[in-house]
Amino acid sequence: QVQLQESGPGLVKPSQTLSLTCTVSGGSITTNYYYWNWIRQPPGKGLEWMGAIPYSGNTYYSPSLKSRTSISRDTSKNQFTLQLSSVTPEDTAVYYCAADLGGSSRRCLPYGMDYWGKGTLVTVSS
């Protein structure tokens, strides 16, 4: 059973870069044909798909966040990371890492994932 766990700071100051890591166990992030996603949910709002890095190592981003988002991976640690630059209080959200076989990821949808982390709350505040 694949398990995902998010980690990173719970508080980030405005204009700084938010960095989160997702550690995967029970499976490899290079396994065909999984996509490894970042999804967030602001307080009182719905889920938002942010981007993904599939087994191939390519990256895909939400058009609305592309200019501020970077997703990378460390295959030796079986981890993938999210960096979101120039954050504002509107970036306050629960951030999730999740995995699917591409059916949702390729359509930039936050639903229908096969595996989810528990999520981590990141607050943007001075």
Side-chain angles (χ1 to χ4, degrees):
Q1 180 76 2
V2 176
Q3 294 183 323
L4 299 90
Q5 178 66 58
E6 305 88 353
S7 61
L11 179 64
V12 181
K13 293 183 178 179
S15 80
Q16 292 187 341
T17 296
L18 179 161
S19 295
L20 295 174
T21 297
C22 183
T23 301
V24 179
S25 59
S28 170
I29 61 173
T30 59
T31 298
N32 297 342
Y33 298 95
Y34 274 94
Y35 284 61
W36 306 92
N37 300 263
W38 285 101
I39 294 165
R40 69 180 182 178
Q41 186 170 28
K45 298 184 179 180
L47 293 171
E48 178 183 23
W49 183 85
M50 301 181 70
I53 183 166
Y55 60 98
S56 61
N58 297 325
T59 50
Y60 302 90
Y61 300 109
S62 166
S64 65
L65 295 171
K66 186 175 182 179
S67 63
R68 299 195 291 130
T69 306
S70 178
I71 298 175
S72 59
R73 69 180 184 177
D74 186 334
T75 56
S76 67
K77 295 181 180 179
N78 216 34
Q79 296 174 332
F80 61 106
T81 62
L82 169 73
Q83 290 192 314
L84 182 66
S85 64
S86 304
V87 297
T88 72
E90 291 185 345
D91 293 309
T92 294
V94 177
Y95 286 77
Y96 298 93
C97 54
D100 79 330
L101 287 168
S104 293
S105 302
R106 287 196 297 265
R107 293 182 291 169
C108 305
L109 297 175
Y111 305 102
M113 298 291 157
D114 297 305
Y115 304 101
W116 289 84
K118 294 181 179 179
T120 185
L121 174 64
V122 179
T123 301
V124 179
S125 175
S126 56

